Amino acid sequence: MDTPWRKAISPQRRLILTLRYLATGASQLHIGFSFRVGHTTVGMIIRECCSVLWECLVPIVLRPPTAEDWLQIADDFQKFWQCSNCIGAIDGKHIRIKAPPNSGTEFYNYKGFFSIVLLAICDAHYRFVLVDIGDSGRHSDGGIFSNSRVGKKFDKGSLSIPAPNSLAGSDINVPYYFAADDAFPLKTGIVKPYPGRHLSEDKQIFNYRLSRGRRVVENAFGILAVRWQVFYKMMNCDPEMAQCIVQACVVLHNFLQSPRQVGSHIYGDQFDGNGNTVNGNWRQTIPSTVNMDSLGHIGSNFYSRYAGFYRDELKKYFLKDGAVAWQWSR
């Protein structure tokens, strides 16, 4: 509020200051000099504005998916990435933060630095569908997905995921699934590649086809970091504020990645008619080192008979009814 000595900082100026910080990754001290605002005031404004951005934009760009939303996502994955029944790509990142005072090893991960975890599921257009932000880095050696809010809802079957359905152009019936990498456990509803290097041709083709759908989440993280360069270096703040910053960047990413934003598609990878990868703009602009590290192995090597059966059924589908012309040369 205004005082007899000075006027209050307007909401517009607060938003501009926060966006400048998120987009450039400049220090709060530098932002303070640029806007002629005290250092502590800058930190307070960023924290408050990021919280407001999250609260206001979540109902618009990150609302919980309904059964109809999952079906639309599945249609998009089939149309753009030829992954039938896939309803999202899942991955996670460690976000490096300054060592919190008196926290011991709570946020210290197995890679040797302090971090919070960003776990995300993305749709076929590089938009975040579900996220879990703020888990401490020490849980990186196991159970991140199972202990997350997203993982608990998945295990309870409360994500409104539709019942199993036949794959496109086939009578093979499998559950809708998330495409994951080797770090995640193989479950009914989570499909990851076959492990090993010397694989048979059919398994190599399956891994290639699955990677086409899984790479969208890699693209989403890359686009997120390029647009919001606060991820380029360690966040010099407490875990609570780091969580607010990541939350704001996630909802702003979804807003900018929406179909109505012209040119939003050029940031992500594309494929031509022969299955060749056309790298997105984010790969050309992102630095070699980014403050976002991949998760380690977060699941058991043991899996249920049903999970293995459904992966084998997908493999059969990719080799026959769901085959694409260029997969044999990959």
Side-chain angles (χ1 to χ4, degrees):
M1 59 181 297
D2 295 338
T3 69
W5 299 276
R6 69 186 67 180
K7 292 184 178 181
I9 302 174
S10 67
Q12 294 86 347
R13 191 170 179 83
R14 288 169 176 261
L15 178 60
I16 293 172
L17 183 152
T18 301
L19 294 178
R20 174 78 175 274
Y21 170 77
L22 298 178
T24 64
S27 68
Q28 294 182 25
L29 185 61
H30 176 79
I31 295 293
F33 284 134
S34 299
F35 285 81
R36 297 184 179 181
V37 177
H39 174 233
T40 55
T41 304
V42 170
M44 179 188 67
I45 291 174
I46 292 173
R47 186 187 298 264
E48 292 177 352
C49 198
C50 285
S51 298
V52 171
L53 285 170
W54 171 259
E55 293 173 3
C56 293
L57 289 180
V58 160
I60 302 173
V61 300
L62 198 62
R63 59 182 179 82
T66 63
E68 290 75 17
D69 294 329
W70 289 124
L71 291 175
Q72 181 59 56
I73 293 173
D75 289 342
D76 290 340
F77 267 99
Q78 173 60 23
K79 178 181 179 180
F80 295 105
W81 308 108
Q82 292 77 52
C83 280
S84 184
N85 280 27
C86 180
I87 54 173
I90 184 171
D91 201 359
K93 294 290 184 182
H94 285 286
I95 310 298
R96 191 185 299 255
I97 63 173
K98 178 183 178 181
N102 304 318
S103 64
T105 59
E106 176 66 22
F107 294 90
Y108 192 76
N109 64 44
Y110 76 101
K111 294 188 175 185
F113 58 87
F114 293 86
S115 67
I116 61 173
V117 175
L118 165 59
L119 185 70
I121 296 173
C122 294
D123 67 9
H125 301 286
Y126 316 116
R127 296 186 296 249
F128 296 110
V129 179
L130 292 172
V131 294
D132 189 278
I133 305 168
D135 194 8
S136 59
R138 74 180 180 88
H139 296 136
S140 59
D141 58 349
I144 286 181
F145 178 73
S146 298
N147 293 328
S148 68
R149 290 184 292 273
V150 174
K152 290 177 180 178
K153 289 183 178 180
F154 173 82
D155 290 335
K156 293 179 181 178
S158 58
L159 289 178
S160 301
I161 296 175
N165 194 12
S166 58
L167 298 168
S170 170
D171 58 356
I172 299 177
N173 195 285
V174 300
Y176 289 97
Y177 62 90
F178 299 120
D181 61 12
D182 291 326
F184 285 81
L186 179 64
K187 295 184 176 183
T188 302
I190 298 180
V191 177
K192 70 176 189 176
Y194 287 99
R197 296 183 178 180
H198 305 289
L199 299 174
S200 59
E201 184 183 38
D202 57 344
K203 292 183 178 180
Q204 291 182 46
I205 290 174
F206 171 85
N207 287 356
Y208 162 69
R209 293 290 302 278
L210 186 68
S211 71
R212 286 171 58 83
R214 186 184 56 80
R215 70 186 297 136
V216 298
V217 69
E218 174 190 338
N219 278 250
F221 285 132
I223 297 169
L224 179 72
V226 166
R227 281 178 169 160
W228 308 109
Q229 297 181 13
V230 69
F231 290 106
Y232 278 14
K233 57 185 179 181
M234 179 185 70
M235 294 186 182
N236 188 17
C237 57
D238 60 78
E240 182 181 352
M241 183 168 180
Q243 180 178 343
C244 289
I245 291 171
V246 176
Q247 288 175 335
C249 291
V250 164
V251 292
L252 288 169
H253 166 90
N254 273 15
F255 176 78
L256 293 174
Q257 201 62 26
S258 62
R260 65 177 178 272
Q261 299 298 326
V262 178
S264 63
H265 64 284
I266 65 175
Y267 284 95
D269 293 345
Q270 305 292 325
F271 284 89
D272 62 20
N274 296 319
N276 299 312
T277 304
V278 180
N279 287 337
N281 286 0
W282 74 269
R283 294 185 184 274
Q284 303 170 15
T285 55
I286 198 167
S288 57
T289 57
V290 180
N291 183 31
M292 299 173 71
D293 287 64
S294 298
L295 299 180
H297 190 73
I298 64 173
S300 170
N301 289 324
F302 300 100
Y303 54 88
S304 70
R305 176 168 58 90
Y306 294 105
F309 170 77
Y310 289 130
R311 180 168 66 178
D312 291 339
E313 289 294 288
L314 274 173
K315 180 186 69 174
K316 296 176 184 177
Y317 171 76
F318 286 150
L319 293 172
K320 295 181 180 180
D321 297 331
V324 293
W326 60 82
Q327 70 183 27
W328 309 101
S329 61
R330 294 294 181 269

